[in-house]
């Protein structure tokens, strides 16, 4: 669904979900998406959300999938620099991108913790 980009605004949610699932398969999906859409500097879909999620997964899984995209003058820099107003914009620095995804995931984790067994028993 992420690769097809068929539904407007859904890609960011897919990326967020993949970041939270946290598996190697999720990293592969995000890598495929970025391989396909970062070279297309004329398309502005969910590239930032995909990179954010991939950076988070790399940190969590101990992998380096995002390095391919974030090397100096690499695909990420080319995609960002294709629009003059984004050049040197702090929000498009990979570390800043990852920080926002980490914050969103931490917030979501605070709301989705499983109930303790004693609370489940008391609730039923």
């Amino acid at each position: 669904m992420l690769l097809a980009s068929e539904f407007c605004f859904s890609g960011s949610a897919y990326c967020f979900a993949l970041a939270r699932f946290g598996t190697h398969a999720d990293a592969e999906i995000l890598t495929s998406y970025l391989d396909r859409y970062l070279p297309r500097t004329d398309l502005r879909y969910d590239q930032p959300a995909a990179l954010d999620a991939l950076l988070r997964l790399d940190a969590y899984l101990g992998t380096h999938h995002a390095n391919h995209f974030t090397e100096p003058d690499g695909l990420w820099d080319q995609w960002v620099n294709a629009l003059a107003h984004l050049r040197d914009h702090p929000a498009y620095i990979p570390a800043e991108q990852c920080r926002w995804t980490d914050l969103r995931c931490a917030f979501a984790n605070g709301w989705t913790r499983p109930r303790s067994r004693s609370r489940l028993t008391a609730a039923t």
Side-chain angles (χ1 to χ4, degrees):
M1 289 186 286
L2 178 62
L3 278 170
S5 289
E6 293 178 6
F7 301 103
C8 189
F9 303 112
S10 62
S12 294
Y14 292 140
C15 292
F16 178 68
L18 294 171
R20 295 211 50 228
F21 292 154
T23 70
H24 290 280
D26 302 319
E28 290 174 20
I29 293 167
L30 293 163
T31 299
S32 294
Y33 177 86
L34 291 168
D35 278 333
R36 182 173 180 176
Y37 287 107
L38 273 183
R40 296 289 313 269
T41 57
D42 59 318
L43 299 177
R44 299 288 157 164
Y45 294 143
D46 300 297
Q47 291 91 328
L51 182 65
D52 299 355
L54 187 58
L55 288 165
R56 179 176 172 80
L57 288 176
D58 275 350
Y60 178 74
L61 299 170
T63 56
H64 305 283
H65 298 286
N67 289 357
H68 166 72
F69 305 110
T70 59
E71 60 192 20
D73 297 320
L75 288 174
W76 178 251
D77 284 347
Q78 292 170 28
W79 187 83
V80 169
N81 291 332
L83 293 179
H85 71 279
L86 297 182
R87 290 184 192 130
D88 301 318
H89 193 288
Y92 288 90
I93 297 169
E96 185 65 11
Q97 300 269 141
C98 188
R99 185 177 81 81
W100 281 106
T101 298
D102 288 343
L103 288 171
R104 286 189 294 270
C105 287
F107 177 79
N109 289 342
W111 287 97
T112 60
R113 288 190 193 132
R115 292 185 187 185
S116 69
R117 187 170 185 87
S118 60
R119 290 180 69 195
L120 283 174
T121 306
T124 56

